[in-house]
Amino acid sequence: MSDSGSSSSSVSFDSAFASIATVDQNAVRSIRSGSSNQTLAPDSPRNCHDVFWLGIFLLHMVVLGLFLTVLGANRFHKSDRFNIDRFTSGSAESSRVFTEDYWPMYAVAAGVGALLGWASLLLLGSRANQMMKISVHILTTYLAVLSVFCFWTEHFFWGVVFAIGAALQFLYVISVVDRLPFTMLVLQKAVKMVCSLPEVMRVAYAFMIVMLLWMAIWSFGAAGVVASSMGDGGRWWVLVVLSVSLFWTGAILCNTVHVIVSGLVCLVLVRGGQEATSMPPNSLVKSFRYALTTSFGSICYGSLFTAAIRTMRWEIRGLRSKIGRNECLLCCVDFLFHLVETLVRFFNKYAYVQIAVYGKSFNRSARDAWELFQSTGVEALVAYDCSGAVLLMVTLLGGLISGTCAGVWAHIKWNDRVLMVGSTAMLMGMILVGLAIAVVESAVTSLYICYAEDPMLIHRWDAEFFNQLSETLHQRLQHRSARAREVLAHNRVDVHIQETIPI
């Protein structure tokens, strides 16, 4: 029995090691292949995909728009205009509070968020590395300061939440500090690509304006909820539903920018530059049309899940690297890790590049992108890169600043509803800043997809960057091979010990 167990264990680990070596060989062959076959960006006709989710989103926008208008107008210049208070436990104090008391606070949050988004785009073009580094390190401090402020104002629950957030942020930065130089390199090259395409900036500004228009309606209804006669529990539940809706809408707009920019970046890399004679006319208009028509259903569907799964993956990866040899905890985290990795195969941000280039459905795009990464070994680079997490930190910092501005005003005017205004205003700021820097994340994902499809596309665009990517990929694959050998040796020792122990 022990011999068979030992042999099966040895075979399983040998096969695991062999699979890693095969990926290494495939990656090297992919990198060295000079066949610039230009399989990207075909001009074939496209079909609509995930139409059901497009219908759900449009219906949600119409119903929610009417709901927000009623909620806001109910207490605009007049208390209980539509006699909604009969369904709630109204009070004399609530009858003196109106929508216009809170609406300007949301206007301040939207203005600050738009200003920070605009400033982020400008700084990305001139001081990208400095801005990213400052955002990574200052976010922990800002969360800690907010925690102290909440304890000082006797909001103990939120003080604990911000304190935990500061601790998690600090631990995450510590766990990935060795990866930050490579991350900054990738972000720097992505910014270089974005700055060479000035029309991409205009796309980001246009979508920020669209989002501001929707936020005017959304904040009108949210201000009506905060000013309503509902109890705190009822207000929070309604605001949570409205916030989920706003998050989904913001994610859809961000991912629409993602698809537009990805299509243009891939086209530029395939054609050899924006000034190349082979560049088709009106390429931005075509990418824009595809994103808002045939691909919009897939964008609506993917936007429901990708952000949450990506965040879970970053946190679990950071925690997994710092556990050490605690077998019980490592087993639990490994279970979560493999569960999230399975979900990533079907919900990842690289799907939007495949959608932009080939016009596929979302799930097929996500699966094809992940299989492409794994078959070429580029998944090792994707796992090592933290650019998405760094950009998320910039987004969170922008949202916290917007929420703080609205929250301070609410604290001065209506002390009992600071957190309602501050938390929803923070979400508004995050979405606006996220829309602005979505162009950089789009460039990052496009560079990885193009590198996996045909590395010579990156070599032709920036030979030095190609060499740095290839060197890092080789190092990461060697690291994985060494880890596989270590695990294999460790398990063989365990099997040998079990064999020598008398039963």
Side-chain angles (χ1 to χ4, degrees):
M1 292 291 290
S2 62
D3 290 341
S4 62
S6 174
S7 61
S8 62
S9 175
S10 176
V11 168
S12 63
F13 283 103
D14 284 339
S15 61
F17 178 73
S19 65
I20 292 177
T22 302
V23 170
D24 198 349
Q25 293 170 2
N26 290 338
V28 173
R29 282 198 299 269
S30 175
I31 291 171
R32 293 180 178 175
S33 65
S35 59
S36 180
N37 50 18
Q38 294 190 1
T39 57
L40 291 168
D43 294 325
S44 58
R46 302 191 178 207
N47 298 320
C48 294
H49 297 285
D50 302 309
V51 179
F52 172 78
W53 294 102
L54 172 60
I56 291 294
F57 174 69
L58 294 178
L59 179 63
H60 141 267
M61 291 292 284
V62 172
V63 173
L64 189 71
L66 293 173
F67 184 60
L68 289 168
T69 303
V70 171
L71 287 175
N74 185 58
R75 303 191 75 84
F76 188 70
H77 290 313
K78 182 179 179 181
S79 179
D80 197 24
R81 185 187 303 271
F82 301 123
N83 197 23
I84 297 178
D85 283 354
R86 69 179 185 271
F87 302 111
T88 63
S89 54
S91 63
E93 182 182 356
S94 63
S95 64
R96 297 193 298 270
V97 182
F98 301 98
T99 301
E100 59 268 25
D101 292 326
Y102 294 100
W103 203 17
M105 300 176 189
Y106 286 114
V108 167
V112 171
L115 180 63
L116 290 173
W118 172 75
S120 298
L121 277 179
L122 290 183
L123 290 173
L124 283 171
S126 58
R127 297 286 186 271
N129 274 357
Q130 293 85 342
M131 190 191 85
M132 298 296 178
K133 290 177 182 177
I134 290 173
S135 300
V136 167
H137 295 294
I138 203 173
L139 181 58
T140 304
T141 305
Y142 203 93
L143 287 168
V145 170
L146 286 178
S147 174
V148 172
F149 179 76
C150 288
F151 283 124
W152 179 56
T153 55
E154 299 183 353
H155 294 98
F156 296 106
F157 173 77
W158 290 102
V160 172
V161 169
F162 284 122
I164 293 174
L168 290 176
Q169 165 68 10
F170 177 76
L171 291 174
Y172 179 77
V173 172
I174 292 298
S175 68
V176 300
V177 68
D178 59 319
R179 294 191 264 167
L180 289 180
F182 175 73
T183 297
M184 292 303 171
L185 169 67
V186 174
L187 288 172
Q188 182 182 8
K189 297 303 179 181
V191 170
K192 172 188 171 183
M193 172 60 76
V194 168
C195 291
S196 68
L197 302 171
E199 58 266 45
V200 162
M201 301 289 193
R202 293 194 287 270
V203 169
Y205 290 136
F207 274 82
M208 285 176 66
I209 292 172
V210 172
M211 193 70 235
L212 281 170
L213 293 175
W214 175 248
M215 281 183 175
I217 300 173
W218 186 90
S219 59
F220 182 68
V225 172
V226 177
S228 69
S229 61
M230 290 185 284
D232 282 350
R235 288 194 195 98
W236 274 113
W237 276 111
V238 176
L239 287 176
V240 166
V241 172
L242 295 182
S243 296
V244 170
S245 168
L246 182 64
F247 179 82
W248 188 29
T249 306
I252 287 172
L253 290 185
C254 285
N255 291 327
T256 304
V257 173
H258 195 353
V259 170
I260 294 171
V261 176
S262 298
L264 187 60
V265 169
C266 289
L267 192 60
V268 168
L269 289 174
V270 167
R271 302 297 182 181
Q274 191 180 18
E275 304 301 327
T277 56
S278 58
M279 277 289 291
N282 302 321
S283 52
L284 178 64
V285 175
K286 288 182 179 178
S287 185
F288 195 92
R289 186 176 70 247
Y290 288 147
L292 293 180
T293 54
T294 56
S295 300
F296 198 62
S298 299
I299 294 171
C300 295
Y301 172 54
S303 300
L304 278 170
F305 308 104
T306 48
I309 292 173
R310 284 167 56 198
T311 305
M312 288 171 59
R313 187 171 186 248
W314 293 329
E315 294 295 339
I316 291 174
R317 275 187 178 274
L319 180 63
R320 190 169 179 253
S321 65
K322 291 297 177 182
I323 286 177
R325 296 189 176 275
N326 188 325
E327 297 292 341
C328 180
L329 185 58
L330 184 62
C331 181
C332 296
V333 172
D334 271 344
F335 171 76
L336 293 175
F337 176 76
H338 291 300
L339 177 62
V340 172
E341 287 293 303
T342 301
L343 292 174
V344 166
R345 294 174 184 270
F346 299 97
F347 298 98
N348 60 72
K349 62 182 179 180
Y350 302 96
Y352 297 111
V353 184
Q354 295 270 335
I355 290 171
V357 174
Y358 300 111
K360 304 174 184 176
S361 65
F362 182 85
N363 282 140
R364 184 183 171 192
S365 297
R367 187 173 61 252
D368 289 351
W370 207 247
E371 289 176 356
L372 173 66
F373 284 156
Q374 290 195 320
S375 64
T376 58
V378 177
E379 191 270 335
L381 276 183
V382 172
Y384 189 65
D385 177 32
C386 302
S387 57
V390 171
L391 293 174
L392 178 61
M393 293 175 197
V394 176
T395 303
L396 281 172
L397 183 60
L400 286 170
I401 294 173
S402 301
T404 302
C405 293
V408 167
W409 189 358
H411 179 72
I412 295 171
K413 194 169 183 181
W414 306 99
N415 187 33
D416 59 329
R417 299 179 190 179
V418 174
L419 293 174
M420 291 183 186
V421 175
S423 57
T424 46
M426 172 185 164
L427 179 60
M428 293 172 65
M430 284 179 58
I431 290 172
L432 288 168
V433 176
L435 268 171
I437 63 174
V439 294
V440 179
E441 189 167 17
S442 302
V444 171
T445 53
S446 301
L447 290 175
Y448 278 127
I449 287 288
C450 289
Y451 183 71
E453 288 266 8
D454 183 1
M456 295 311 296
L457 295 175
I458 304 298
H459 184 274
R460 188 171 57 197
W461 175 64
D462 191 325
E464 182 183 359
F465 181 48
F466 166 80
N467 292 332
Q468 291 167 322
L469 280 180
S470 301
E471 182 181 355
T472 305
L473 176 58
H474 180 67
Q475 292 173 354
R476 297 312 303 168
L477 291 174
Q478 279 191 328
H479 174 74
R480 288 192 173 188
S481 298
R483 288 290 300 272
R485 292 192 203 99
E486 182 183 344
V487 171
L488 177 59
H490 176 73
N491 282 274
R492 280 176 172 168
V493 169
D494 286 346
V495 169
H496 177 70
I497 292 173
Q498 290 176 5
E499 290 174 349
T500 58
I501 295 176
I503 300 176

